[in-house]
């Protein structure tokens, strides 16, 4: 029996680091990084390199030193639970995909970053209810790479914010969990997104 086969997808690898640091009782800082690698014979890319397995190494210098065509991303986050406002947490996260310092402020297409600010309140006057409010901004082409094989995708779904690049997103999440087998979840989002048009370098 002959089985027809389509074009073979390139093998992809992903390596991720994450460290959380607790500062006192109310403040936590997070640092994280990730890299996606693939060998795409039509558009470049890189095979897996064992240097990325070092748990105490920063991916950007490795990417530069080995000439990798992988797609590295860096990020930082923080969460703060103010003692004077019980059951409340303020949090934020920033991710940097690519940056050219000389082009900061001129809307250059390859300065790719994203950020989220949020507020989480548990039982805001209603027992068993928690509420979250989030605001996010994602630059065009975030998560992408010149070779699609190294983009931050899994089965064509983003490994990142669901609003996608070139977007502004405001979201509200309500979670009501009273005693018993039932739980109620409600989420609502308002999203504005662009088309990611081709831009000149």
């Amino acid at each position: 029996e002959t089985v027809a086969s389509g074009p073979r997808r390139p093998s992809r690898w992903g390596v991720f680091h994450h460290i959380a640091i607790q500062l006192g009782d109310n403040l936590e800082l997070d640092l994280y990084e990730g890299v996606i690698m693939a060998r795409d014979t039509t558009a470049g890319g890189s095979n897996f390199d064992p240097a990325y397995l070092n748990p105490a190494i920063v991916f950007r210098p490795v990417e530069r030193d080995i000439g990798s065509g992988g797609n590295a991303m860096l990020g930082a986050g923080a969460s703060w639970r103010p003692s004077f406002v019980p059951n409340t947490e303020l949090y934020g996260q920033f991710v940097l995909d690519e940056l050219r310092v000389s082009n900061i402020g001129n809307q250059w297409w390859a300065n790719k970053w994203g950020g989220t600010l949020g507020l989480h309140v548990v039982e805001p006057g209603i027992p068993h209810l928690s509420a979250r409010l989030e605001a996010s901004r994602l630059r065009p082409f975030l998560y992408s790479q010149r070779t699609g094989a190294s983009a931050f995708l899994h089965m064509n779904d983003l490994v990142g914010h669901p609003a996608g690049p070139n977007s502004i997103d405001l979201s509200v999440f309500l979670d009501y969990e009273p005693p018993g087998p039932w739980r109620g979840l409600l989420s609502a989002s308002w999203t504005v997104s662009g088309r990611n048009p081709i831009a000149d370098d």
Side-chain angles (χ1 to χ4, degrees):
E1 180 181 7
T2 302
V3 179
S5 62
R8 184 175 179 273
R9 289 177 178 252
S11 297
R12 292 157 51 90
W13 298 270
V15 182
F16 302 89
H17 291 164
H18 177 240
I19 184 171
I21 305 167
Q22 188 75 38
L23 300 176
D25 296 330
N26 301 326
L27 180 63
E28 183 177 290
L29 302 180
D30 294 90
L31 299 173
Y32 57 92
E33 61 181 354
V35 63
I36 301 292
M37 301 155 283
R39 168 60 71 188
D40 184 343
T41 56
T42 63
S46 61
N47 283 321
F48 179 80
D49 192 290
Y52 287 115
L53 293 178
N54 185 338
I57 202 165
V58 179
F59 290 155
R60 283 288 188 184
V62 173
E63 185 185 34
R64 181 191 64 239
D65 291 346
I66 68 176
S68 169
N71 187 10
M73 192 175 292
L74 305 172
S79 62
W80 177 49
R81 294 170 293 279
S83 56
F84 53 88
V85 184
N87 303 327
T88 300
E89 180 181 41
L90 295 168
Y91 60 91
Q93 193 175 66
F94 180 80
V95 63
L96 179 62
D97 189 356
E98 197 169 331
L99 178 69
R100 184 181 290 177
V101 174
S102 62
N103 284 319
I104 291 176
N106 65 6
Q107 301 300 314
W108 186 55
W109 70 271
N111 279 350
K112 300 182 290 185
W113 53 264
T116 295
L117 291 174
L119 172 66
H120 186 197
V121 182
V122 177
E123 297 192 346
I126 302 175
H128 314 297
L129 176 71
S130 69
R132 279 193 300 131
L133 175 65
E134 284 187 357
S136 301
R137 171 71 172 103
L138 297 94
R139 284 276 295 152
F141 308 109
L142 182 64
Y143 310 118
S144 65
Q145 179 76 338
R146 69 179 183 277
T147 165
S150 296
F152 273 76
L153 298 172
H154 177 68
M155 302 301 288
N156 289 327
D157 288 329
L158 280 175
V159 182
H161 196 287
N166 199 9
S167 63
I168 298 173
D169 181 77
L170 299 175
S171 297
V172 176
F173 306 91
L174 300 177
D175 185 350
Y176 184 64
E177 193 170 5
W182 302 103
R183 179 181 183 186
L185 298 170
L186 175 66
S187 63
S189 296
W190 176 80
T191 305
V192 177
S193 59
R195 294 175 49 210
N196 289 322
I198 296 174
D200 294 330
D201 194 345

